């Protein structure tokens, strides 16, 4: 097992700056989910750790040892690829045995050892009955298990999993996320797992690192990433439907503060408004409201705004409403049962404590520490 640390790492492919000063660490035995959209630099990061690519700048450490000049073999790191990279003309057994029969390891493992090790891993992954098949005779989920098995046979110190379940159907993905998490905890091997799916990242990661355009934007627990996104980009990346983010202004009428979002005027606690005004002098910022963080009611909520139902999408146990007021459009995700009609007016109340504010220019979170404020 090993601790992985990246310090100010850079990597370009010709003109393309794939990785631009990445700092990242994954503690021993931890599962770090690297979350980012396509092209963010996830695969490149893993290849740099595995030693399949060399960095242009910065340092990579495995257990406090700088491995910049260490060969992939000596790093004892194993990587699975998005497309599984199985040898089609080999059986499952031969695919699993391949790393053990490589010129580097041939002298370590006798054929008897190879058989023993392959059988042990196949049993662990529940693919023992598939050992004589070829990859084309396997389902996507089975191929994925073989690919995981090939990573496990050499007892690596670090697992690097590159979007391991991205190509599988939703139900199987859900199942395999749980399986991989259990397996990783059981083996206790330091793991970096990439995905473009925020649900997968939050579900599987002990910690989550958000990456975009070759830079790590935030590292935190799944809870921190969801509840305290550092930037508007991260706020919108996570959640379905995504966070509503709107231009807003704090206004004061007599003694009371309000949040003005276009024609929408919503009460705001004085403590929160004053704190926000300390941070943004003109009171203008961007407010982030998750679709789940509001109350929507047919009964009048005195003092709170009314909005018109523009679209209503039933989702079984949930309902997604697109609500409008003038030019302002907000999505709400509520429990099914309201059975709202398009054109109907409903009252809306945001959950103060769960509002996010972002700087209009930089998109950075404005920290209000509202959990410590009495609203
Ligand atoms: P991700 O895995 O997050 O989708 P990648 O790490 O594969 O992103 O790619 C990051 C950036 O580097 C992208 O702009 C991609 O086009 C570019 N890139 C990756 N590999 C190569 C390569 N071998 N040659 C040129 N550009 C590359
Ligand atoms: Mg990739």
């Amino acid at each position: 097992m090993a601790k992985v640390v990246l310090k100010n790492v850079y990597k370009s492919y010709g003109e393309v700056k794939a990785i631009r000063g990445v700092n990242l660490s994954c503690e021993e035995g931890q599962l770090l989910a690297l979350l980012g959209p396509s092209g963010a630099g996830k695969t490149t990061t893993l290849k740099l750790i595995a030693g399949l690519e060399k960095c242009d700048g910065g340092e990579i450490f495995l257990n406090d040892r700088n491995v910049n000049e260490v060969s992939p073999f000596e790093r004892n790191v194993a990587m699975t690829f998005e497309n599984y990279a199985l040898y089609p003309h080999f059986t499952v057994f031969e695919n699993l045995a391949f790393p053990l029969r490589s010129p580097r390891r041939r002298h370590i493992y006798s054929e008897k050892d190879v058989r023993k090790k392959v059988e042990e891993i196949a049993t662990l992954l529940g693919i023992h009955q598939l050992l004589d098949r070829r990859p084309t005779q396997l389902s996507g989920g089975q191929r994925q298990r073989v690919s995981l098995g090939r990573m496990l046979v050499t007892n690596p110190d670090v697992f690097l999993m590159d979007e391991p379940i991205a190509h599988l159907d939703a139900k199987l993905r859900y199942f395999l996320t749980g399986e991989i998490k259990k397996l990783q905890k059981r083996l206790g091997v330091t793991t970096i797992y990439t995905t473009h799916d925020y649900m997968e990242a939050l579900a599987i990661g002990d910690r989550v690192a958000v990456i975009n355009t070759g830079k790590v934007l935030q590292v935190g627990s799944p809870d921190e990433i969801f509840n305290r996104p550092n930037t508007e980009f991260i706020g919108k990346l996570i959640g379905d439907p995504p966070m509503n983010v709107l231009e807003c202004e704090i206004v004061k009428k007599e003694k009371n503060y309000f949040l003005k979002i276009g024609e929408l005027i919503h009460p705001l606690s004085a403590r929160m408004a004053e704190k926000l005004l300390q941070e943004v002098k003109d009171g203008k910022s961007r407010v982030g409201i998750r679709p789940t963080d509001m109350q929507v009611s047919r009964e009048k909520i005195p003092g709170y705004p009314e909005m018109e139902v523009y679209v209503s999408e039933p989702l079984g146990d949930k309902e997604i409403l697109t609500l409008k007021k003038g030019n302002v459009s907000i999505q709400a995700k509520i429990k099914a049962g309201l059975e709202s009609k398009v054109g109907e007016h409903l009252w809306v109340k945001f959950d103060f404590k769960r509002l996010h504010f972002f700087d209009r220019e930089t998109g950075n979170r404005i920290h209000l520490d509202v959990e410590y404020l009495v609203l």
Side-chain angles (χ1 to χ4, degrees):
M1 263 163 287
K3 178 179 171 184
V4 182
V5 175
L6 275 71
K7 278 194 186 154
N8 206 22
V9 169
Y10 283 81
K11 173 73 191 171
S12 293
Y13 295 104
E15 295 286 292
V16 183
K17 294 188 169 73
I19 296 295
R20 302 184 295 155
V22 161
N23 291 294
L24 203 60
S25 71
C26 183
E27 298 299 321
E28 204 172 305
Q30 200 176 56
L31 197 160
L32 176 75
L34 191 58
L35 169 68
S38 176
K42 303 183 294 296
T43 302
T44 307
T45 304
L46 296 193
K47 282 183 176 170
L48 290 166
I49 298 169
L52 303 175
E53 298 280 4
K54 264 187 101 161
C55 44
D56 303 332
E59 294 171 286
I60 299 177
F61 296 89
L62 295 177
N63 271 343
D64 302 323
R65 174 185 176 207
N66 180 318
V67 293
N68 283 32
E69 299 304 325
V70 174
S71 73
F73 176 78
E74 281 177 273
R75 292 188 193 195
N76 201 23
V77 163
M79 178 162 170
T80 65
F81 296 88
E82 208 179 326
N83 55 9
Y84 314 137
L86 298 177
Y87 298 104
H89 52 287
F90 282 1
T91 62
V92 169
F93 183 95
E94 288 162 343
N95 267 286
L96 291 174
F98 190 82
L100 304 176
R101 288 171 172 166
S102 71
R104 295 269 201 176
R105 292 199 183 85
R106 226 172 0 221
H107 64 283
I108 310 173
Y109 296 93
S110 68
E111 267 310 298
K112 205 173 143 205
D113 293 338
V114 170
R115 177 152 290 277
K116 191 162 163 258
K117 189 77 196 167
V118 168
E119 286 183 352
E120 180 191 316
I121 296 294
T123 305
L124 178 76
L125 294 169
I127 50 173
H128 201 271
Q129 72 288 6
L130 307 174
L131 288 174
D132 295 330
R133 292 205 200 164
R134 287 178 203 281
T136 48
Q137 299 167 308
L138 302 176
S139 69
Q142 291 168 334
R143 261 178 240 168
Q144 181 49 50
R145 279 164 202 263
V146 179
S147 166
L148 285 175
R150 205 177 40 182
M151 181 181 73
L152 297 175
V153 281
T154 55
N155 291 334
D157 289 331
V158 179
F159 293 159
L160 303 173
M161 303 193 194
D162 196 18
E163 308 218 29
I165 58 177
H167 298 305
L168 304 176
D169 61 69
K171 213 166 135 193
L172 192 58
R173 280 168 50 186
Y174 183 73
F175 176 72
L176 274 178
T177 312
E179 291 253 297
I180 292 175
K181 190 169 177 168
K182 258 193 288 181
L183 185 68
Q184 192 269 341
K185 286 285 160 278
R186 188 155 126 211
L187 302 173
V189 178
T190 310
T191 302
I192 304 181
Y193 179 111
T194 73
T195 175
H196 62 269
D197 180 332
Y198 80 93
M199 295 247 279
E200 206 178 300
L202 298 188
I204 207 164
D206 296 316
R207 290 178 75 70
V208 177
V210 182
I211 184 170
N212 193 34
T213 59
K215 281 191 172 167
V216 172
L217 306 177
Q218 186 173 4
V219 186
S221 66
D223 178 72
E224 279 168 325
I225 299 289
F226 187 78
N227 291 311
R228 297 173 66 77
N230 257 346
T231 65
E232 181 176 328
F233 173 83
I234 300 170
K236 288 200 277 204
L237 182 71
I238 291 168
D240 181 29
M243 182 188 275
N244 300 286
V245 182
L246 303 140
E247 290 283 330
C248 71
E249 190 178 353
I250 308 245
V251 291
K252 195 175 182 187
K253 273 193 208 151
E254 287 150 23
K255 277 196 200 129
N256 300 317
Y257 287 99
F258 295 87
L259 192 61
K260 184 177 179 311
I261 307 169
E263 286 170 43
L264 187 83
I265 311 282
H266 187 285
L268 194 64
S269 85
R271 291 292 301 274
M272 203 166 178
E274 281 159 11
K275 192 89 205 273
L276 192 59
L277 284 167
Q278 283 172 14
E279 302 294 326
V280 266
K281 299 284 177 274
D282 62 358
K284 289 184 184 169
S285 69
R286 288 167 70 76
V287 63
I289 313 158
R290 290 208 187 274
T292 42
D293 293 341
M294 62 186 91
Q295 190 186 331
V296 177
S297 157
R298 188 168 279 135
E299 309 273 301
K300 178 170 180 161
I301 311 177
Y304 285 82
E306 243 182 303
M307 294 188 84
E308 186 183 326
V309 178
Y310 187 68
V311 182
S312 162
E313 299 164 73
L315 278 184
D317 61 336
K318 292 271 176 0
E319 191 173 333
I320 296 175
L321 302 176
T322 306
L323 302 164
K324 286 213 161 193
K325 177 128 193 158
N327 292 330
V328 180
S329 170
I330 287 180
Q331 283 196 305
K333 190 172 182 179
I334 59 169
K335 237 173 95 180
L338 188 66
E339 292 178 8
S340 60
K341 305 271 177 297
V342 170
E344 182 182 8
H345 283 239
L346 299 171
W347 272 266
V348 176
K349 183 180 180 181
F350 304 142
D351 182 350
F352 283 150
K353 288 196 216 102
R354 302 189 63 83
L355 293 178
H356 307 260
F357 291 95
F358 302 107
D359 186 279
R360 291 165 87 204
E361 256 124 61
T362 61
N364 290 338
R365 181 182 193 82
I366 301 169
H367 290 274
L368 297 179
D369 292 325
V370 278
E371 44 273 63
Y372 307 112
L373 291 176
V374 181
L375 296 171

